[in-house]
């Protein structure tokens, strides 16, 4: 089986199991069916199933217990599906995963290389998100421009090219996580904006290590907030 085909099949199984978890077919703190049963149910090979289960574990939805099998540890609420179809969830999660390393390193370089004009632009983007939050706007475009401004401050066109090429996928993830935050308490929006501020402050202080850590934490947190629903 080609690697691309295996990846695509694993994504499809990941999404089917996720949908079953959301719908309560596989309850929290209950054991999933055996690998043999899941392979039969979803008509895939064991390697494909194990790839799907590995992603569910990485996303903190499932945990393996030695000698006992795999157990569901978290049930995202159905609000997730208001902002993204189940068929795109696996891709959104893998985009977050990819962005973590790329944007964290870009933030590190931005802290070391940014000009005053670039820092001013990053701060303006941050303020615009603040204003959008006050209006309770979705602000996906504003959030994307904030991340793009940081990448541009890294002064390496390869980072910018990557971020621009992922424009639609990145915005899809932002649309989901920001939409869920707007449905949740005001504290959720403040938490996200505090993460943005930590990045801005590190870049302002020219602290590359801190900027990298702050960006990594922000994107990792966004990835996990995707399954926190609107509670």
């Amino acid at each position: 089986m080609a690697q691309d085909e295996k990846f695509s099949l694993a994504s499809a199984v990941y999404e089917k199991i996720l949908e079953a978890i959301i719908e309560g077919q596989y309850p929290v703190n209950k054991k999933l069916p055996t690998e043999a049963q899941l392979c039969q149910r979803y008509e895939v090979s064991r390697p494909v199933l194990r790839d799907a289960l590995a992603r569910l574990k990485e996303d903190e939805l499932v945990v393996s217990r030695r000698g006992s099998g795999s157990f569901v540890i978290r049930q995202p609420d159905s609000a997730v599906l208001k902002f993204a179809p189940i068929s795109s969830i696996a891709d959104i999660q893998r985009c977050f995963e990819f962005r973590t390393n790329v944007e964290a390193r870009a933030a590190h370089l931005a802290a070391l290389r940014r000009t005053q004009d670039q820092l001013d632009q990053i701060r303006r983007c941050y303020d615009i998100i603040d204003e959008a939050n006050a209006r309770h706007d979705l602000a996906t475009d504003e959030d994307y421009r904030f991340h793009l401004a940081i990448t541009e401050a890294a002064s390496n066109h390869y980072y910018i090219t990557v971020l621009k090429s992922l424009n639609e996928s990145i915005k899809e993830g932002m649309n989901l996580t920001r939409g869920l935050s707007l449905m949740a308490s005001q504290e959720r929006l403040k938490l996200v904006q505090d993460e943005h501020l930590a990045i801005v402050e590190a870049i302002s202080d020219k602290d590359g290590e801190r900027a990298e850590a702050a960006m990594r934490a922000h994107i990792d947190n966004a990835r996990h907030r995707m399954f926190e629903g609107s509670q």
Side-chain angles (χ1 to χ4, degrees):
M1 180 186 294
Q3 190 62 31
D4 285 351
E5 183 183 359
K6 182 183 175 186
F7 182 87
S8 179
L9 284 172
S11 294
V13 175
Y14 166 99
E15 286 162 349
K16 287 175 182 177
I17 296 175
L18 171 61
E19 187 171 24
I21 292 172
I22 291 173
E23 292 176 350
Q25 295 175 33
Y26 301 141
V28 175
N29 297 324
K30 296 296 184 180
K31 183 181 175 181
L32 286 174
T34 66
E35 287 190 0
Q37 290 170 327
L38 289 171
C39 285
Q40 184 176 20
R41 181 172 299 180
Y42 299 117
E43 300 180 329
V44 292
S45 66
R46 201 168 290 247
V48 168
L49 175 69
R50 286 177 175 168
D51 276 3
L53 291 175
R55 298 183 199 182
L56 290 162
K57 291 168 190 171
E58 289 166 4
D59 296 339
E60 299 181 357
L61 296 170
V62 167
V63 66
S64 290
R65 295 173 184 164
R66 183 169 295 181
S68 299
S70 297
F71 289 76
V72 177
I73 57 174
R74 183 155 55 139
Q75 180 187 23
D77 72 36
S78 58
V80 171
L81 303 182
K82 292 181 180 179
F83 298 97
I86 195 71
S87 60
S88 69
I89 297 291
D91 188 59
I92 291 172
Q93 283 290 66
R94 302 291 76 79
C95 183
F96 274 124
E97 186 177 74
F98 178 75
R99 287 176 58 203
T100 299
N101 291 321
V102 173
E103 291 195 53
R105 188 58 188 170
H108 185 124
L109 294 175
L112 303 181
R113 298 174 177 175
R114 57 85 178 164
T115 64
Q116 186 59 48
D117 284 346
Q118 287 170 329
L119 177 60
D120 290 344
Q121 176 61 16
I122 292 168
R123 284 175 169 158
R124 277 194 295 272
C125 290
Y126 169 85
D127 290 339
I128 289 170
I129 296 174
D130 242 358
E131 293 164 5
N133 286 348
R135 296 191 303 269
H136 223 60
D137 288 349
L138 188 57
T140 297
D141 289 340
E142 291 85 344
D143 200 345
Y144 175 76
R145 283 196 291 270
F146 172 79
H147 284 263
L148 187 62
I150 291 169
T151 305
E152 289 172 339
S155 298
N156 181 327
H157 72 274
Y158 289 104
Y159 285 106
I160 301 167
T161 299
V162 167
L163 212 67
K164 288 183 175 179
S165 71
L166 294 173
N167 180 315
E168 289 186 12
S169 295
I170 290 173
K171 286 185 177 180
E172 191 172 19
M174 288 177 170
N175 185 64
L176 193 158
T177 55
R178 291 193 64 84
L180 291 172
S181 292
L182 283 172
M183 292 175 65
S185 65
Q186 193 65 26
E187 284 70 26
R188 174 88 74 88
L189 280 176
K190 183 180 184 304
L191 174 65
V192 176
Q193 193 65 338
D194 285 346
E195 291 173 3
H196 286 155
L197 182 59
I199 300 166
V200 175
E201 289 178 340
I203 292 173
S204 177
D205 293 342
K206 297 191 174 183
D207 188 331
E209 295 293 336
R210 204 168 97 234
E212 181 169 348
M215 181 63 83
R216 184 179 300 278
H218 170 56
I219 297 177
D220 278 343
N221 289 341
R223 178 182 167 194
H224 292 301
R225 274 192 292 265
M226 180 171 161
F227 291 138
E228 289 178 2
S230 58
Q231 301 302 314

